[in-house]
Amino acid sequence: VEQEGKRAIGSFEKAIDEFKAVANDKALSDALRSLGFFLRGQSQFADAFQTFQQALELSLESNNYDHALSSLNGIGLTLRDVG
């Protein structure tokens, strides 16, 4: 299971790099949020929190408030999980 998790994270990171390269902020924000939720599910709370913060910053910079709210939700859920 751990190996599968590492492989999944690698796939997310590859997609993130590709979206950065083509400057697709919406897709990049989606990928960051998805990675954040995956990391949260794997109990990697510090990494999830940081990833959600990156998604939030990107969403606010591009005035994408729906994505910003989703990122804030991820931050809140992660903080709740940590206690």
Side-chain angles (χ1 to χ4, degrees):
V1 174
E2 186 175 322
Q3 189 65 17
E4 291 174 5
K6 288 180 181 180
R7 225 178 331 206
I9 291 169
S11 295
F12 279 116
E13 290 173 343
K14 181 179 178 186
I16 288 166
D17 289 342
E18 289 178 11
F19 294 138
K20 283 180 183 177
V22 297
N24 186 337
D25 289 345
K26 183 180 182 308
L28 177 57
S29 176
D30 285 338
L32 286 167
R33 285 181 301 111
S34 295
L35 176 57
F37 282 111
F38 179 80
L39 291 168
R40 179 178 162 255
Q42 298 293 307
S43 299
Q44 295 181 28
F45 300 119
D47 291 337
F49 184 83
Q50 181 182 11
T51 303
F52 285 128
Q53 282 186 312
Q54 290 174 341
L56 175 60
E57 290 172 13
L58 180 63
S59 298
L60 291 174
E61 288 171 5
S62 60
N63 297 321
N64 189 332
Y65 300 113
D66 289 339
H67 285 193
L69 288 172
S70 179
S71 298
L72 284 169
N73 181 52
I75 289 170
L77 292 170
T78 302
L79 290 173
R80 183 192 67 190
D81 292 343
V82 172

